[in-house]
Amino acid sequence: MLSPALGCAPRFEEPDAGSGAAEILGERPMNLRTLLVTVVAVGIAAATTAVGVSPAQATSTWTSVAGTGVGSIPDGDVLCTTFAGPLVVSFSVTGMPVAPLSGVRISGLQMTHPWVGDLDVELFAPNASGATVFSRVGSTAAAPAGDSSNLGGTYSFSDESTPNNLWSEAAGLGTADVIPSGRYAATTPGAPDLTNGGQQTSLTQAFSSVADPNGTWTLEFADHCGGDTGSVTAVTLQLQSSAGLGPCTGFAMELNSAQIAADSAASALTTSRDAAATAAETLGAAKATASATAEAGTRAQAASTAAQGAVASATGAVTKAATALKKAKKSHRKAAIARAAKALKAATIRLSTAKKTAAATSTTLSTAQATAATAAQDQVTAQGARDAAVTVVTSRQATLAAAQDTLAEKKKAYAFCLDA
């Protein structure tokens, strides 16, 4: 067990063998992130008190560094094809222990910018490792320009306490609306990664390779589209060192990262299932349209064939009437000639009408055939989209299963550490 000085956080219970994904990822009496904060805070308090630091000082476990170089964000390309040169805000970190980080967050980000979907914001460590804070919010296949709501407040980005999702907040707002100030999660980027944008990520996990946090960190703001400009007036980088914490802190950090990964995988699976359901509905509609247009084409073909037959019949009647008139003329009988001429005129009118009908049915047939061909291609396209969506679902099911396995392993490792 942990020593009394370091304390012992409540053990995270293993799920029953029959637990489903919702239970594995779901709610527990003690949230994993709350558990991590408890272990970290208790460990730091014990370590700092042992070397004579007052309890009041021990309660502050984060190193805060204000950013320099704030100002206007360079406007993007008017064609929306490339990002403009970024605004680079720097943080000079000194005096921290040479040890891995147990926490990374951005706080007090005061910024304004219309059309949040234009922006790409990335954080970089001194060792050049980086993480996307948010990028091309709302940019999907259906909305390539991204979300049109605006930034105009004070924002923070962290892993703790299940923060809000910037994509979800923006999705419910209009062009004139401002995204509320508050705490948000870092999220995966939009275009060109159109299938997985807006998924929660861990800033702390992204910088797990940082052995020495001292040096210059940078936060870069890049604009993708011209016409909307904004600025950053203040931002603070906060880092938490794992040095001096309890022996189980590393396991708790890994458990927290595994929980975030599992949450993100579950969310991505739900999104892909929704997309697959939509693709299936589209395919069903495409099949119905293709069937209906094919039937219309068959009817048009029959009508055209009948019209062509009527033309042939009317042509034969004209030929017969002309022969009769010629014969009547040879007889020199006026009455017979008059009857034959009248019959020829009627046959000629019927032939003209038949030809017009045949021309109309031919046009209708061509249109019906083109419509049927388009509908058939739409069905093929819809089938491909549906198959692709099912493939994504299968892939994300595998990703979720792997994330669940990792989560279960991290729970066991953490529980074992607590019992050691």
Side-chain angles (χ1 to χ4, degrees):
M1 300 296 293
L2 291 175
S3 68
L6 290 176
C8 180
R11 184 189 302 179
F12 192 92
E13 298 178 358
E14 284 291 310
D16 295 334
S19 297
E23 183 176 359
I24 292 176
L25 298 176
E27 307 304 325
R28 295 291 186 183
M30 174 168 283
N31 181 278
L32 281 174
R33 297 180 180 88
T34 303
L35 183 61
L36 174 59
V37 172
T38 300
V39 173
V40 171
V42 170
I44 287 184
T48 53
T49 301
V51 294
V53 179
S54 70
Q57 290 174 303
T59 60
S60 179
T61 64
W62 294 82
T63 296
S64 298
V65 181
T68 60
V70 297
S72 298
I73 301 171
D75 199 14
D77 174 14
V78 293
L79 299 178
C80 300
T81 56
T82 57
F83 284 104
L87 167 68
V88 180
V89 178
S90 300
F91 309 88
S92 181
V93 177
T94 59
M96 290 193 68
V98 178
L101 293 167
S102 58
V104 177
R105 65 191 183 195
I106 296 166
S107 67
L109 172 56
Q110 298 176 16
M111 70 175 300
T112 60
H113 197 287
W115 209 294
V116 66
D118 286 0
L119 293 178
D120 173 82
V121 180
E122 296 181 272
L123 178 65
F124 294 94
N127 71 346
S129 59
T132 297
V133 180
F134 65 88
S135 178
R136 304 303 311 282
V137 172
S139 181
T140 65
D147 192 273
S148 63
S149 55
N150 310 313
L151 292 166
T154 303
Y155 308 94
S156 64
F157 295 88
S158 65
D159 300 345
E160 304 97 337
S161 305
T162 56
N164 297 322
N165 187 299
L166 192 65
W167 282 55
S168 300
E169 288 286 342
L173 301 175
T175 302
D177 297 324
V178 175
I179 298 172
S181 299
R183 182 173 60 241
Y184 293 87
T187 46
T188 53
D193 183 9
L194 302 177
T195 60
N196 199 41
Q199 302 302 315
Q200 180 179 335
T201 59
S202 168
L203 287 176
T204 303
Q205 186 178 21
F207 295 102
S208 59
S209 66
V210 178
D212 182 358
N214 295 291
T216 300
W217 293 65
T218 59
L219 186 62
E220 300 186 2
F221 300 81
D223 191 328
H224 186 258
C225 288
D228 296 306
T229 58
S231 63
V232 176
T233 55
V235 61
T236 297
L237 174 67
Q238 293 186 302
L239 304 176
Q240 186 181 62
S241 175
S242 63
L245 302 186
C248 294
T249 300
F251 292 101
M253 290 170 57
E254 292 178 359
L255 180 54
N256 184 59
S257 295
Q259 179 71 66
I260 290 173
D263 288 345
S264 181
S267 176
L269 177 58
T270 297
T271 299
S272 63
R273 281 175 171 165
D274 290 344
T278 299
E281 292 176 0
T282 300
L283 176 58
K287 285 182 175 179
T289 299
S291 177
T293 56
E295 291 176 3
T298 300
R299 291 193 297 270
Q301 181 66 66
S304 179
T305 300
Q308 292 298 330
V311 168
S313 176
T315 299
V318 167
T319 301
K320 184 177 180 180
T323 300
L325 177 59
K326 184 177 181 180
K327 184 178 181 180
K329 286 180 177 180
K330 287 182 178 180
S331 69
H332 301 290
R333 291 181 295 176
K334 292 183 177 180
I337 293 172
R339 286 194 301 271
K342 184 177 181 180
L344 178 57
K345 181 178 181 181
T348 301
I349 292 173
R350 287 195 298 273
L351 177 58
S352 177
T353 301
K355 286 182 176 180
K356 289 179 180 179
T357 301
T361 56
S362 178
T363 298
T364 300
L365 175 59
S366 296
T367 301
Q369 288 175 332
T371 301
T374 298
Q377 183 56 53
D378 288 345
Q379 179 180 338
V380 171
T381 301
Q383 182 71 58
R386 187 259 183 189
D387 292 345
V390 170
T391 299
V392 171
V393 169
T394 301
S395 174
R396 290 187 177 175
Q397 285 174 332
T399 299
L400 176 58
Q404 290 172 344
D405 290 343
T406 300
L407 180 60
E409 292 174 0
K410 298 305 180 183
K411 290 175 185 175
K412 290 179 181 178
Y414 180 64
F416 182 80
C417 178
L418 294 179
D419 283 338

